[in-house]
Amino acid sequence: MINFVCVFSGEQLSLLLRHPDQPENSKVLKVALIGAPNAGKSTLTNQLLGRKVFAVSKKVHTTRSRALGVLTEEDTQIILLDTPGLTTVSKVKRHQLEKTLLVDPWNTVKEADLMVVLVDVGDRWMCSRLDFEVLKCLALHPHIPAILVLNKVDQVKAKDRLLDITAELTCGMVNGQRMRIKPVIKPPWAEKRPDRDPGPPPAEDSEGPEDSGWPHFKDIFMLSAVDSEDVETLKTYFMAGAKPGPWRYHSEVLTDQGPEEVCTNIIREKLLEYLPQEVPYSITQSIELWQDGEDGELVISVKLNAKKDTHMGMVIGPAGQMVARIAREAGDDLSRVFLREVKLKLSVKLRK
Ligand SMILES: Nc1nc2c(ncn2[C@@H]2O[C@H](COP(=O)(O)OP(=O)(O)O)[C@@H](O)[C@H]2O)c(=O)[nH]1
Ligand SMILES: [Mg+2]
């Protein structure tokens, strides 16, 4: 079945409220994706769903509220809870984000059957330790099984580093067992690093407060969320882990986001991608028009409100090229979300 987001919010809402069409032996798994901003949670969710319904960005914070993705295959339903990003307060201030981001992110995690901790191994600093907020989340829900997913392995050239990272992030323990990693014999000309030979495992009680790994992960995956084959492996793992239980949504549901929300997020993604520094964060959007066009297309018109002349100039770009590009790319993305041609018009206004 090909799922998509309904074009009108009323239809999308009634689909969400529709009684699940569950089979006799229905199975379900609620998965909470947690990880520092930029770890690739939205990319992974999109890849699992086979459709881009979540905005993706290099810059922190595209996801402003929690949303879920639903993947239904045969008798199994996987519900993917994309947490709003575990952002520290200082970061929130820096990027002038809305207060809504500070809503307790653990609430969604509480109801999960599985926690998936995503770590960006392309980020040398982030991947040497688990984010403090992530650790807190794991510690607060010790009864929910957790797995570690090392993401963006395509960005790591020396693959043996992945084993070092795994050892650090797991305190050398996986599924109740000490990890056994054979030391990699390096040629003499290889870069000299501090001795990382695992050697004899450290004693159990050596885990001091310095440790920033989690010794209770059930499984480890190493993948690239951008690679559909890699993600297929994880999908199979979820499918196999689903337990008998009632579906929560009708099998046609892809996400609980409304169509306008998807549209606003996709436009913000493009603003974040193409505009420098604080500019994208200061722009607000208002949807002016949302209707069927004459040739069966969906016509959307959105006003971008800029707070400063300079910002307005940047959004418009030389000869209006910037705003035209954003409209074109966001429109293309939206037509894939709605499986329908979308004509997206953007206008830029100064609103101090
Ligand atoms: N090279 C590479 N980039 C990735 C991968 N997964 C995600 N990204 C990029 O990482 C950035 C953050 O991704 P996103 O899904 O928005 O992260 P989120 O904040 O955790 O939702 C985006 O620029 C993605 O394109 C991957 O496997 N490989
Ligand atoms: Mg995200």
Side-chain angles (χ1 to χ4, degrees), residues 290-302:
W290 190 286
Q291 66 183 36
D292 288 317
E294 280 174 5
D295 303 310
E297 78 280 23
L298 173 69
V299 182
I300 305 172
S301 168
V302 177

Side-chain angles (χ1 to χ4, degrees), residues 41-42 55 62-63 82:
K41 299 178 294 293
S42 303
T62 37
T63 320
D82 186 5

Side-chain angles (χ1 to χ4, degrees), residues 86-100:
L86 309 169
T87 314
T88 55
V89 177
S90 61
K91 272 187 188 152
V92 169
K93 273 204 192 122
R94 206 171 72 218
H95 298 289
Q96 307 169 322
L97 294 173
E98 294 162 319
K99 286 215 176 64
T100 49

Side-chain angles (χ1 to χ4, degrees), residues 141-257:
H141 305 94
H143 55 285
I144 305 176
I147 64 169
L148 176 66
V149 175
L150 304 185
N151 186 31
K152 311 194 193 179
V153 297
D154 57 295
Q155 293 189 338
V156 179
K157 288 209 185 73
K159 301 291 181 207
D160 62 308
R161 236 184 75 70
L162 294 173
L163 296 180
D164 290 348
I165 296 171
T166 308
E168 278 182 67
L169 298 184
T170 60
C171 309
M173 293 286 290
V174 176
N175 199 21
Q177 307 259 319
R178 281 253 157 240
M179 261 174 66
R180 283 181 181 277
I181 298 173
K182 295 243 173 71
V184 180
I185 314 287
K186 292 238 176 241
W189 58 85
E191 161 199 19
K192 182 94 184 121
R193 278 190 295 178
D195 190 13
R196 288 287 203 76
D197 181 330
E204 205 70 49
D205 59 8
S206 72
E207 283 160 19
E210 303 269 55
D211 279 312
S212 43
W214 180 249
H216 306 293
F217 287 116
K218 293 273 179 271
D219 278 297
I220 317 286
F221 286 85
M222 300 176 189
L223 53 80
S224 278
V226 290
D227 183 311
S228 58
E229 263 178 58
D230 279 7
V231 173
E232 200 60 33
T233 317
L234 193 60
K235 184 161 137 184
T236 309
Y237 179 85
F238 291 163
M239 290 288 170
K243 297 275 180 312
W247 286 357
R248 227 203 294 157
Y249 297 95
H250 191 276
S251 60
E252 280 172 31
V253 173
L254 190 61
T255 177
D256 68 341
Q257 298 170 97

Side-chain angles (χ1 to χ4, degrees), residues 33-46 54-63 82-85 118 120 122 150-155 223-227 230-231 269 273:
L33 291 172
I34 63 174
N38 219 36
K41 299 178 294 293
S42 303
T43 308
L44 180 64
T45 309
N46 289 336
F54 290 96
V56 164
S57 168
K58 289 193 282 291
K59 293 186 196 154
V60 266
H61 259 298
T62 37
T63 320
D82 186 5
T83 53
L118 209 60
D120 174 357
L150 304 185
N151 186 31
K152 311 194 193 179
V153 297
D154 57 295
Q155 293 189 338
L223 53 80
S224 278
V226 290
D227 183 311
D230 279 7
V231 173
E269 173 193 292
E273 189 165 344

Side-chain angles (χ1 to χ4, degrees), residues 1 19-28 71-77 243-252:
M1 184 173 11
H19 203 73
D21 50 341
Q22 53 199 334
E24 220 168 286
N25 301 312
S26 59
K27 284 184 279 182
V28 68
L71 174 66
T72 310
E73 273 181 16
E74 293 170 17
D75 52 6
T76 305
Q77 183 161 82
K243 297 275 180 312
W247 286 357
R248 227 203 294 157
Y249 297 95
H250 191 276
S251 60
E252 280 172 31

